[in-house]
Amino acid sequence: MHLGKRLAAIVLTCGLSAGLVGCGFHLKGTNPSSAPVAYSVMSLSLPTNAEELQEKLAVYLGAAGVQLSNAPEAYVLRVLDYTPRRLELNGKLVETLLRLNVTFRIEDAQGNPVTEPRTVVATRTYQYDIETVNTDDQEQKFLNQVIIDDVAQQIARQISSNRLPLAKQNTPAQPAQ
């Protein structure tokens, strides 16, 4: 009887798995060609103070199926604004707020915008204690890395899911009749 229950469990598991696969279900991030075909080859154009973001973007875009290339026909992921901020909130404790705003868009090989500019934001906070300045510096460096990683993941997800609004085409105005 024990063998019968085991066989029934195996058949039930296989049946449920086949049903999920048949309806198109797949786990997030398991589709190697999840990037839209139009953006499958890209180059990166970032400000000089965004080297760490460039490294993270290369990793996450590559994992999403985007091939990074400097080919002349490649689309360009252009970072228009890269603004890291550090704010101190004073009260009984000093709390530090780290924030990174990144505005980007995708352009074609001729530099024409393909998508509207999109801004992504990542924020982290930590408590600041004057007695542990060295530890706080290490915590700030770590959280800056976490923020950059978060922004790179957000950008890669938006590109791979093709959720970026297309740029409005400039059409010549029709004369009034």
Tab-separated table of all heavy atoms in Angstrom, residues 10 22 68 117 124 144 148:
chain	number	residue	atom	x	y	z
A	10	ILE	N	3.476	10.896	-7.034
A	10	ILE	CA	4.318	11.217	-8.197
A	10	ILE	C	3.446	11.587	-9.384
A	10	ILE	O	3.708	12.574	-10.079
A	10	ILE	CB	5.258	10.038	-8.519
A	10	ILE	CG1	6.310	9.901	-7.421
A	10	ILE	CG2	5.918	10.232	-9.878
A	10	ILE	CD1	7.174	8.658	-7.539
A	22	GLY	N	1.871	23.945	-19.239
A	22	GLY	CA	0.976	24.041	-20.386
A	22	GLY	C	0.284	25.384	-20.486
A	22	GLY	O	-0.025	25.851	-21.575
A	68	LEU	N	25.520	43.376	-24.546
A	68	LEU	CA	26.146	44.695	-24.562
A	68	LEU	C	27.216	44.716	-25.643
A	68	LEU	O	28.081	43.838	-25.689
A	68	LEU	CB	26.735	45.022	-23.202
A	68	LEU	CG	25.709	45.170	-22.083
A	68	LEU	CD1	26.395	45.470	-20.766
A	68	LEU	CD2	24.703	46.247	-22.412
A	117	PRO	N	12.129	59.577	-21.187
A	117	PRO	CA	12.998	59.456	-20.004
A	117	PRO	C	12.231	58.861	-18.822
A	117	PRO	O	11.060	59.166	-18.619
A	117	PRO	CB	13.414	60.896	-19.715
A	117	PRO	CG	13.231	61.620	-21.007
A	117	PRO	CD	12.076	60.945	-21.686
A	124	ARG	N	17.898	54.382	1.188
A	124	ARG	CA	18.210	53.602	2.391
A	124	ARG	C	18.535	54.591	3.506
A	124	ARG	O	19.049	55.680	3.264
A	124	ARG	CB	19.415	52.682	2.190
A	124	ARG	CG	19.249	51.608	1.144
A	124	ARG	CD	18.243	50.559	1.580
A	124	ARG	NE	18.169	49.459	0.657
A	124	ARG	CZ	17.429	49.421	-0.435
A	124	ARG	NH1	16.702	50.447	-0.758
A	124	ARG	NH2	17.413	48.362	-1.211
A	144	ASN	N	25.548	52.348	-0.034
A	144	ASN	CA	25.681	52.932	-1.374
A	144	ASN	C	25.733	51.829	-2.431
A	144	ASN	O	25.134	51.959	-3.500
A	144	ASN	CB	26.917	53.820	-1.467
A	144	ASN	CG	26.679	55.199	-0.893
A	144	ASN	OD1	25.563	55.698	-0.899
A	144	ASN	ND2	27.736	55.809	-0.381
A	148	ILE	N	22.967	51.249	-5.471
A	148	ILE	CA	23.358	51.143	-6.879
A	148	ILE	C	22.857	49.830	-7.467
A	148	ILE	O	22.339	49.776	-8.588
A	148	ILE	CB	24.887	51.292	-7.020
A	148	ILE	CG1	25.298	52.725	-6.685
A	148	ILE	CG2	25.356	50.907	-8.418
A	148	ILE	CD1	26.787	52.932	-6.532
